[in-house]
């Protein structure tokens, strides 16, 4: 499937950045830049989708909720994608709760606007179908990971996936939030985090996890991470810089001070 590439305004979201100018210009009047604070629920499970969100600096978790109240993350979306991908499959309700995992900005557009452009069969159509395939692979791989691998390996995989999208070495993540995403008790996350910290891979303090040794963390993580990373890297990068998706200015802003 061929995805047209052409200059467009310098959005950090890869889908918007990959749109040819004419396609972007049709959407531009309908795009709204918004803040996405930590913990905001964009859609409840089975909730009606009124807006599609294109994260720029934020990261969104797709969370499965069980009848007993237990939760587990089954996927995530950052600057590489769009929330509400079920729209392209003809479903206007979210199968999962979508919650802001790492706060910061994003861009949104009404769902009907996105669907009108999608039905043109142009660049956005191709980009969203490609992203839908990638997200389906992510969800299935995470399901296997949650069943087969240890909490320590899963935590390493999850931190690496978050790091890929956040770019910053310092991630604002509490043990309580991680426990909800991994579907394990908070004590289990604490034990796993201490194990990773003892190996020198991370440093955890006051609700923040700092990646200290990414190559070591990659070696420690389960085999699911390279599969997920390879699929992430195959997604169109639009007009963004290769290798991380955000421009150097944002990387400098995010880098922790020492």
């Amino acid at each position: 499937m061929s995805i047209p590439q052409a200059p467009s305004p310098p959005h950090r979201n890869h889908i918007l950045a990959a749109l040819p100018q004419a396609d972007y210009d049709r959407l531009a009047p309908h795009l709204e830049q918004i803040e996405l604070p930590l913990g905001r629920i964009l859609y409840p499970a089975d909730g009606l989708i009124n807006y599609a969100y294109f994260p720029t600096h934020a990261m969104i978790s797709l969370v499965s909720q069980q009848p007993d109240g237990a939760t587990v993350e089954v996927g995530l979306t950052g600057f590489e994608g769009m929330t509400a991908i079920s729209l392209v499959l003809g479903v206007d309700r979210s199968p999962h709760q979508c919650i802001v995992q790492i706060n910061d900005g994003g861009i949104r557009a009404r769902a009907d606007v996105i669907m009108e452009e999608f039905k043109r069969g142009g660049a956005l159509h191709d980009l969203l179908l490609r992203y839908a395939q990638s997200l389906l692979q992510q969800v299935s791989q995470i399901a296997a990971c949650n069943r087969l691998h240890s909490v320590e390996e899963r935590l390493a995989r999850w931190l690496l996936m978050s790091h890929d999208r956040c770019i910053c070495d310092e991630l604002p993540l509490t043990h309580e939030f991680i426990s909800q995403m991994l579907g394990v008790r908070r004590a289990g996350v604490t034990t796993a985090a201490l194990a990773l910290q003892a190996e020198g891979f991370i440093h955890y303090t006051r609700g923040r996890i700092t990646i200290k040794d990414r190559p070591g963390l990659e070696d420690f993580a389960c085999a699911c991470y390279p599969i997920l990373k390879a699929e992430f890297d195959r997604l169109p990068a639009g007009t963004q810089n290769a290798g991380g998706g955000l421009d150097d200015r944002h990387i400098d802003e995010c880098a922790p001070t020492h």
Side-chain angles (χ1 to χ4, degrees), residues 38-112:
L38 178 67
R40 172 174 288 181
I41 296 174
L42 302 182
Y43 327 110
D46 198 38
L48 185 66
I49 298 171
N50 294 313
Y51 289 91
Y53 294 83
F54 299 86
T56 51
H57 302 151
M59 190 161 61
I60 314 300
S61 287
L62 283 62
V63 178
S64 175
Q65 293 181 300
Q66 302 305 305
D68 63 359
T71 62
V72 63
E73 182 185 80
V74 296
L76 55 84
T77 297
F79 58 77
E80 81 285 2
M82 183 193 83
T83 66
I85 203 66
S86 59
L87 288 172
V88 308
L89 303 176
V91 179
D92 64 357
R93 291 184 176 273
S94 176
H96 307 109
Q97 181 188 74
C98 290
I99 183 171
V100 179
Q101 177 190 118
I102 293 179
N103 65 304
D104 216 324
I107 295 167
R108 73 176 185 179
R110 293 197 321 272
D112 63 315

Side-chain angles (χ1 to χ4, degrees), residues 45-257:
D46 198 38
L48 185 66
I49 298 171
N50 294 313
Y51 289 91
Y53 294 83
F54 299 86
T56 51
H57 302 151
M59 190 161 61
I60 314 300
S61 287
L62 283 62
V63 178
S64 175
Q65 293 181 300
Q66 302 305 305
D68 63 359
T71 62
V72 63
E73 182 185 80
V74 296
L76 55 84
T77 297
F79 58 77
E80 81 285 2
M82 183 193 83
T83 66
I85 203 66
S86 59
L87 288 172
V88 308
L89 303 176
V91 179
D92 64 357
R93 291 184 176 273
S94 176
H96 307 109
Q97 181 188 74
C98 290
I99 183 171
V100 179
Q101 177 190 118
I102 293 179
N103 65 304
D104 216 324
I107 295 167
R108 73 176 185 179
R110 293 197 321 272
D112 63 315
V113 171
I114 295 300
M115 288 312 300
E116 181 180 353
E117 182 64 26
F118 178 79
K119 290 175 181 177
R120 287 177 176 269
L124 187 65
H125 173 276
D126 292 349
L127 287 161
L128 290 182
L129 285 182
R130 176 65 184 87
Y131 179 65
Q133 189 277 332
S134 179
L135 189 61
L136 285 172
Q137 179 169 335
Q138 182 191 140
V139 169
S140 63
Q141 193 68 45
I142 289 176
C145 185
N146 288 340
R147 172 65 179 83
L148 298 174
H149 298 128
S150 70
V151 176
E152 291 82 3
E153 290 173 319
R154 289 162 55 197
L155 177 58
R157 183 266 302 163
W158 189 79
L159 289 173
L160 288 165
M161 291 180 68
S162 299
H163 191 228
D164 288 338
R165 290 157 177 81
C166 182
I167 298 300
C168 314
D169 288 335
E170 188 176 87
L171 305 173
L173 301 167
T174 65
H175 282 196
E176 181 178 0
F177 194 83
I178 297 171
S179 71
Q180 294 173 350
M181 296 302 101
L182 295 182
V184 299
R185 292 180 179 273
R186 188 180 186 279
V189 173
T190 300
T191 300
L194 288 174
L196 297 184
Q197 183 165 260
E199 295 288 343
F201 303 145
I202 67 170
H203 177 68
Y204 172 77
T205 180
R206 295 184 181 179
R208 291 186 177 273
I209 293 179
T210 303
I211 307 295
K212 304 294 290 185
D213 178 5
R214 181 174 171 114
L217 198 61
E218 289 181 0
D219 288 341
F220 181 87
C222 60
C224 295
Y225 176 69
I227 296 171
L228 291 163
K229 183 64 163 62
E231 181 61 27
F232 177 80
D233 289 342
R234 281 193 289 267
L235 288 170
T239 59
Q240 309 299 328
N241 294 331
L246 303 184
D247 57 36
D248 293 336
R249 180 177 62 84
H250 180 60
I251 292 173
D252 291 341
E253 288 172 353
C254 285
T257 57

